[in-house]
Amino acid sequence: MQMNNGDASSLHIHYSPTASDSIGFYAERNWAEDVQFTGLQYNRLLKRWNGPSSQANTYLKLGVGEADPFGDASGELSGFAAFAADWETRRWFTSYEARATDYAGNQSLRHSARVGVAPYIGDFGDLHTWLMLQVDNHPEAAEPTTTTPLIRFFKDVQMVEIGYTLETEELLANWIIRF
């Protein structure tokens, strides 16, 4: 998974030994806080609800590694913890994530939520499209609350998201391959 927005760029390469667990490499260049984090991330599916026409999930995400603040190569033990939840049907999508970081003593808390709608319902194997709105809250940022309209394309194992954050005039681009 490769994610980019105005605050950070990250690379996430994981292996799932079970249906509920994944572990792997995580690197993030946080532009907003001028820090590079490199380490391991563990994800745990806490609970999944499968309904007749919907699915909901809760996740725990933990990371530990080294942060190099301000490019001074003095790597310090650092980490993050996040809780995420989502609910979706073939037409509607909602998600929420709270993420706390401590990158070399630079602590922050972020909230992110999304709501989306699929303008059409495709069959298995078709290109699926979602129109979404993401709202982020990062109290320490120069612009604490931002909104990002985005479009998501999903086909087979590929997912691409392109958006534009209105308040900061920055591009959001995410690419995920699942295999």
Side-chain angles (χ1 to χ4, degrees), residues 1-5 10 86 88 93-95 112-117 127-134 136 148-155 157-165 170-178:
M1 291 185 270
Q2 193 270 325
M3 310 283 222
N4 292 294
N5 63 31
S10 66
D86 62 53
E88 65 184 285
F93 177 88
T94 61
S95 69
S112 182
R114 280 188 179 185
V115 62
V117 63
L127 173 67
H128 298 271
T129 304
W130 291 85
L131 304 174
M132 297 187 163
L133 180 65
Q134 177 173 307
D136 291 295
T148 307
L150 63 113
I151 187 165
R152 172 187 281 181
F153 300 103
F154 189 89
K155 181 166 175 59
V157 298
Q158 306 271 343
M159 185 178 78
V160 174
E161 297 176 333
I162 302 292
Y164 187 75
T165 304
E170 295 170 322
L171 181 68
L172 172 139
N174 300 325
W175 179 30
I176 298 173
I177 303 172
R178 294 188 173 141

Coordinates of all heavy atoms in Angstrom, one line a residue, residues 1-5 10 86 88 93-95 112-117 127-134 136 148-155 157-165 170-178:
M1 N 0.8 -1.2 0.0 CA 0.0 0.0 0.0 C 0.9 1.2 0.0 O 1.9 1.3 0.8 CB -0.9 0.0 1.2 CG -2.0 -1.0 1.2 SD -3.1 -0.9 2.6 CE -2.2 -1.9 3.8
Q2 N 0.5 2.2 -0.8 CA 1.3 3.4 -0.9 C 0.3 4.5 -0.8 O -0.7 4.6 -1.5 CB 2.0 3.4 -2.3 CG 3.1 4.5 -2.4 CD 2.5 5.7 -3.0 OE1 1.6 5.8 -3.8 NE2 3.1 6.8 -2.5
M3 N 0.5 5.4 0.2 CA -0.5 6.5 0.4 C 0.3 7.9 0.4 O 1.4 7.9 0.9 CB -1.1 6.3 1.8 CG -1.7 5.0 2.1 SD -3.2 4.7 1.3 CE -4.1 3.9 2.5
N4 N -0.4 8.9 -0.1 CA 0.2 10.2 -0.2 C -0.9 11.2 0.0 O -2.0 11.1 -0.5 CB 0.7 10.5 -1.6 CG 2.0 9.7 -1.9 OD1 3.0 9.9 -1.2 ND2 1.8 8.8 -2.8
N5 N -0.6 12.2 0.9 CA -1.5 13.4 1.0 C -0.6 14.6 1.4 O 0.6 14.4 1.4 CB -2.6 13.2 2.0 CG -2.1 12.9 3.4 OD1 -1.1 13.5 3.9 ND2 -2.9 12.2 4.2
S10 N 3.5 7.4 2.7 CA 3.8 6.2 3.4 C 3.9 5.0 2.5 O 3.2 5.0 1.4 CB 2.9 5.9 4.6 OG 1.6 5.7 4.1
D86 N -15.2 0.4 10.2 CA -15.8 0.7 8.9 C -17.1 -0.1 8.8 O -17.3 -1.2 9.5 CB -14.9 0.4 7.7 CG -14.5 -1.0 7.6 OD1 -15.3 -1.9 7.6 OD2 -13.3 -1.2 7.4
E88 N -20.0 -1.1 5.5 CA -20.3 -0.9 4.1 C -21.3 -1.9 3.6 O -21.5 -3.0 4.1 CB -19.0 -1.0 3.2 CG -18.4 -2.4 3.2 CD -17.1 -2.3 2.5 OE1 -17.1 -2.3 1.2 OE2 -16.0 -2.4 3.1
F93 N -20.7 3.5 2.2 CA -19.4 3.2 2.9 C -19.2 4.3 3.9 O -19.4 5.4 3.7 CB -18.2 3.2 1.9 CG -16.9 3.0 2.6 CD1 -16.4 1.8 2.8 CD2 -16.2 4.1 3.0 CE1 -15.2 1.6 3.4 CE2 -15.0 4.0 3.7 CZ -14.4 2.7 3.9
T94 N -18.8 3.9 5.1 CA -18.5 4.8 6.2 C -17.2 4.2 6.9 O -17.1 3.0 7.0 CB -19.6 5.0 7.3 OG1 -19.9 3.8 7.9 CG2 -20.8 5.6 6.6
S95 N -16.4 5.1 7.4 CA -15.2 4.6 8.2 C -14.8 5.8 9.1 O -15.1 6.9 8.9 CB -14.0 4.3 7.2 OG -13.5 5.4 6.6
S112 N -9.9 10.7 11.5 CA -10.3 10.7 10.1 C -11.5 10.0 9.9 O -11.7 8.9 10.4 CB -9.1 10.1 9.2 OG -9.4 10.2 7.9
A113 N -12.5 10.5 9.1 CA -13.7 9.8 8.8 C -14.0 10.0 7.3 O -13.6 11.0 6.7 CB -14.9 10.4 9.6
R114 N -14.7 9.0 6.8 CA -15.1 9.0 5.4 C -16.5 8.5 5.3 O -17.0 7.7 6.0 CB -14.3 8.0 4.6 CG -12.9 8.5 4.2 CD -12.3 7.5 3.2 NE -11.0 8.0 2.8 CZ -10.3 7.4 1.9 NH1 -10.7 6.3 1.3 NH2 -9.1 7.9 1.6
V115 N -17.2 9.1 4.3 CA -18.5 8.6 3.8 C -18.5 8.5 2.3 O -17.8 9.3 1.7 CB -19.7 9.5 4.3 CG1 -19.5 10.9 3.8 CG2 -21.0 8.9 4.1
G116 N -19.1 7.4 1.8 CA -19.0 7.3 0.3 C -20.3 6.6 -0.2 O -21.0 6.0 0.5
V117 N -20.4 6.8 -1.5 CA -21.5 6.2 -2.2 C -21.0 5.6 -3.6 O -20.2 6.3 -4.2 CB -22.7 7.2 -2.4 CG1 -22.3 8.3 -3.3 CG2 -23.9 6.5 -3.0
L127 N -15.1 -3.0 -12.8 CA -14.5 -1.9 -12.2 C -15.6 -1.2 -11.3 O -16.7 -1.0 -11.7 CB -14.1 -0.9 -13.3 CG -13.6 0.5 -12.7 CD1 -12.3 0.3 -12.0 CD2 -13.5 1.5 -13.9
H128 N -15.2 -1.1 -10.0 CA -16.2 -0.5 -9.1 C -15.7 0.9 -8.8 O -14.5 1.2 -8.6 CB -16.2 -1.3 -7.8 CG -16.7 -2.7 -8.0 ND1 -18.1 -3.0 -7.9 CD2 -16.1 -3.8 -8.3 CE1 -18.2 -4.3 -8.2 NE2 -17.1 -4.8 -8.5
T129 N -16.6 1.9 -8.7 CA -16.3 3.3 -8.4 C -17.0 3.8 -7.2 O -18.2 3.4 -7.0 CB -16.7 4.1 -9.7 OG1 -16.1 3.6 -10.8 CG2 -16.3 5.6 -9.5
W130 N -16.3 4.5 -6.4 CA -16.9 5.1 -5.2 C -16.6 6.6 -5.2 O -15.5 7.0 -5.5 CB -16.3 4.5 -3.9 CG -16.7 3.1 -3.6 CD1 -16.1 2.0 -4.2 CD2 -17.7 2.7 -2.8 NE1 -16.7 0.9 -3.7 CE2 -17.7 1.3 -2.9 CE3 -18.7 3.3 -2.0 CZ2 -18.6 0.5 -2.2 CZ3 -19.6 2.5 -1.3 CH2 -19.5 1.1 -1.4
L131 N -17.6 7.4 -4.9 CA -17.4 8.9 -4.6 C -17.4 9.1 -3.1 O -18.4 8.6 -2.4 CB -18.6 9.6 -5.3 CG -18.8 9.4 -6.8 CD1 -20.0 10.1 -7.2 CD2 -17.6 9.8 -7.6
M132 N -16.4 9.7 -2.6 CA -16.2 9.8 -1.1 C -15.9 11.2 -0.7 O -15.4 12.0 -1.5 CB -15.1 8.8 -0.7 CG -15.4 7.4 -0.9 SD -14.1 6.4 -0.2 CE -15.0 4.8 -0.2
L133 N -16.2 11.4 0.6 CA -15.7 12.7 1.2 C -15.0 12.3 2.5 O -15.5 11.5 3.3 CB -16.9 13.5 1.6 CG -16.6 14.9 2.3 CD1 -15.8 15.8 1.3 CD2 -17.8 15.6 2.7
Q134 N -13.8 12.7 2.7 CA -13.0 12.5 3.8 C -12.8 13.7 4.6 O -12.5 14.8 4.1 CB -11.6 11.9 3.4 CG -10.7 11.7 4.6 CD -9.4 11.0 4.1 OE1 -9.4 10.0 3.4 NE2 -8.2 11.6 4.4
D136 N -10.7 15.2 8.0 CA -9.6 14.9 8.9 C -9.5 16.0 9.9 O -9.8 17.2 9.6 CB -8.3 14.9 8.1 CG -8.1 13.7 7.2 OD1 -8.1 12.6 7.7 OD2 -8.1 13.9 6.0
T148 N -11.6 16.4 2.1 CA -11.1 15.9 0.8 C -12.1 15.1 0.0 O -12.4 14.0 0.4 CB -9.8 15.0 1.1 OG1 -8.9 15.8 1.9 CG2 -9.1 14.6 -0.2
P149 N -12.7 15.7 -1.0 CA -13.5 14.9 -1.9 C -12.5 14.0 -2.7 O -11.5 14.4 -3.1 CB -14.2 15.9 -2.8 CG -13.9 17.2 -2.3 CD -12.7 17.1 -1.4
L150 N -13.0 12.7 -2.9 CA -12.1 11.8 -3.6 C -12.9 10.8 -4.4 O -14.1 10.6 -4.1 CB -11.1 11.1 -2.7 CG -11.7 10.2 -1.6 CD1 -11.3 8.7 -1.9 CD2 -11.1 10.6 -0.3
I151 N -12.3 10.1 -5.3 CA -12.9 9.1 -6.1 C -12.0 7.8 -5.9 O -10.8 7.9 -6.0 CB -13.1 9.5 -7.6 CG1 -13.9 8.4 -8.3 CG2 -11.8 9.8 -8.3 CD1 -14.5 8.9 -9.6
R152 N -12.7 6.7 -5.7 CA -12.0 5.4 -5.5 C -12.4 4.5 -6.7 O -13.6 4.4 -7.0 CB -12.4 4.8 -4.2 CG -11.9 3.4 -4.0 CD -12.5 2.7 -2.8 NE -11.7 3.2 -1.6 CZ -12.0 2.8 -0.4 NH1 -13.0 1.9 -0.1 NH2 -11.3 3.2 0.6
F153 N -11.4 3.9 -7.3 CA -11.6 2.9 -8.3 C -11.0 1.5 -7.8 O -9.9 1.5 -7.2 CB -10.8 3.2 -9.6 CG -11.3 4.5 -10.2 CD1 -10.5 5.7 -10.0 CD2 -12.5 4.6 -10.9 CE1 -10.9 6.9 -10.6 CE2 -12.9 5.8 -11.4 CZ -12.1 7.0 -11.3
F154 N -11.8 0.5 -7.9 CA -11.4 -0.8 -7.4 C -11.7 -1.9 -8.5 O -12.8 -2.0 -9.0 CB -12.2 -1.1 -6.1 CG -11.7 -2.3 -5.4 CD1 -10.7 -2.3 -4.5 CD2 -12.3 -3.6 -5.7 CE1 -10.3 -3.4 -3.8 CE2 -11.8 -4.7 -5.0 CZ -10.8 -4.6 -4.1
K155 N -10.7 -2.7 -8.8 CA -10.9 -3.8 -9.8 C -9.9 -4.9 -9.4 O -8.7 -4.6 -9.3 CB -10.7 -3.3 -11.2 CG -10.9 -4.5 -12.2 CD -11.0 -3.9 -13.6 CE -11.1 -5.0 -14.6 NZ -12.2 -6.0 -14.5
V157 N -7.4 -6.9 -7.8 CA -6.6 -6.7 -6.6 C -6.1 -5.2 -6.4 O -5.4 -4.9 -5.5 CB -5.4 -7.6 -6.5 CG1 -5.8 -9.1 -6.5 CG2 -4.5 -7.4 -7.7
Q158 N -6.5 -4.4 -7.4 CA -6.0 -3.0 -7.4 C -7.0 -2.0 -6.9 O -8.2 -2.1 -7.2 CB -5.7 -2.6 -8.8 CG -4.7 -3.5 -9.6 CD -3.3 -3.1 -9.4 OE1 -3.0 -2.0 -9.0 NE2 -2.4 -4.0 -9.7
M159 N -6.6 -1.1 -6.1 CA -7.5 0.0 -5.7 C -6.7 1.3 -5.8 O -5.5 1.4 -5.3 CB -7.9 -0.1 -4.2 CG -8.9 0.9 -3.8 SD -9.6 0.7 -2.2 CE -8.2 1.4 -1.2
V160 N -7.3 2.3 -6.4 CA -6.6 3.6 -6.6 C -7.6 4.7 -6.1 O -8.8 4.6 -6.4 CB -6.3 3.9 -8.1 CG1 -5.8 5.3 -8.3 CG2 -5.3 2.8 -8.6
E161 N -7.1 5.6 -5.3 CA -7.9 6.8 -4.9 C -7.2 8.1 -5.3 O -6.0 8.2 -5.1 CB -8.0 6.7 -3.4 CG -8.8 5.5 -2.8 CD -8.8 5.5 -1.3 OE1 -7.9 6.1 -0.6 OE2 -9.8 4.9 -0.8
I162 N -8.0 9.0 -5.8 CA -7.4 10.3 -6.1 C -8.4 11.4 -5.5 O -9.6 11.3 -5.7 CB -7.4 10.5 -7.7 CG1 -6.6 9.5 -8.3 CG2 -6.9 11.9 -8.0 CD1 -5.1 9.6 -8.0
G163 N -7.8 12.3 -4.8 CA -8.6 13.4 -4.2 C -7.9 14.7 -4.1 O -6.7 14.8 -4.5
Y164 N -8.6 15.7 -3.6 CA -8.0 17.0 -3.5 C -8.5 17.7 -2.2 O -9.7 17.8 -2.0 CB -8.4 17.9 -4.7 CG -7.7 19.2 -4.8 CD1 -6.4 19.3 -5.2 CD2 -8.4 20.4 -4.5 CE1 -5.8 20.5 -5.3 CE2 -7.8 21.6 -4.5 CZ -6.4 21.7 -4.9 OH -5.8 22.9 -5.0
T165 N -7.5 18.0 -1.3 CA -7.9 18.6 -0.1 C -8.1 20.1 -0.3 O -7.2 20.9 -0.7 CB -6.8 18.4 1.0 OG1 -6.6 17.0 1.1 CG2 -7.2 19.0 2.3
E170 N -4.0 20.5 -1.7 CA -3.1 19.4 -1.9 C -3.7 18.2 -2.4 O -4.9 17.9 -2.1 CB -2.4 19.1 -0.6 CG -1.5 20.3 -0.1 CD -1.0 20.1 1.3 OE1 -1.7 19.6 2.2 OE2 0.1 20.6 1.6
L171 N -3.0 17.4 -3.2 CA -3.4 16.2 -3.8 C -3.4 15.0 -2.9 O -2.4 14.9 -2.1 CB -2.6 15.9 -5.1 CG -3.0 14.7 -5.9 CD1 -4.3 14.9 -6.6 CD2 -1.9 14.4 -6.9
L172 N -4.4 14.1 -2.9 CA -4.3 12.9 -2.2 C -4.3 11.8 -3.3 O -5.0 11.8 -4.2 CB -5.6 12.7 -1.4 CG -5.8 11.3 -0.7 CD1 -6.4 11.5 0.7 CD2 -6.7 10.4 -1.6
A173 N -3.3 10.9 -3.2 CA -3.2 9.8 -4.1 C -2.8 8.5 -3.4 O -1.8 8.5 -2.7 CB -2.1 10.1 -5.2
N174 N -3.6 7.5 -3.4 CA -3.4 6.2 -2.8 C -3.5 5.1 -3.8 O -4.3 5.1 -4.6 CB -4.4 6.0 -1.6 CG -4.4 7.1 -0.6 OD1 -3.3 7.6 -0.3 ND2 -5.5 7.4 -0.1
W175 N -2.6 4.1 -3.6 CA -2.6 2.9 -4.4 C -2.4 1.7 -3.6 O -1.4 1.6 -2.8 CB -1.5 3.0 -5.5 CG -1.4 1.8 -6.4 CD1 -2.4 1.0 -6.8 CD2 -0.2 1.4 -7.0 NE1 -1.9 0.1 -7.7 CE2 -0.5 0.3 -7.8 CE3 1.1 1.8 -7.0 CZ2 0.4 -0.4 -8.6 CZ3 2.1 1.1 -7.7 CH2 1.7 0.0 -8.5
I176 N -3.3 0.7 -3.7 CA -3.2 -0.5 -2.9 C -3.3 -1.7 -3.8 O -4.2 -1.8 -4.6 CB -4.3 -0.5 -1.8 CG1 -4.2 0.6 -0.8 CG2 -4.4 -1.9 -1.1 CD1 -5.4 0.8 0.2
I177 N -2.4 -2.7 -3.6 CA -2.5 -3.9 -4.3 C -2.7 -5.0 -3.2 O -1.8 -5.1 -2.3 CB -1.2 -4.2 -5.1 CG1 -1.0 -3.1 -6.1 CG2 -1.3 -5.6 -5.8 CD1 0.4 -3.2 -6.8
R178 N -3.7 -5.8 -3.4 CA -3.9 -7.0 -2.4 C -3.8 -8.3 -3.2 O -4.5 -8.5 -4.2 CB -5.2 -6.8 -1.8 CG -5.3 -5.6 -0.9 CD -6.6 -5.6 -0.1 NE -6.5 -4.5 0.8 CZ -7.5 -3.7 1.2 NH1 -8.7 -3.9 0.6 NH2 -7.3 -2.7 2.0

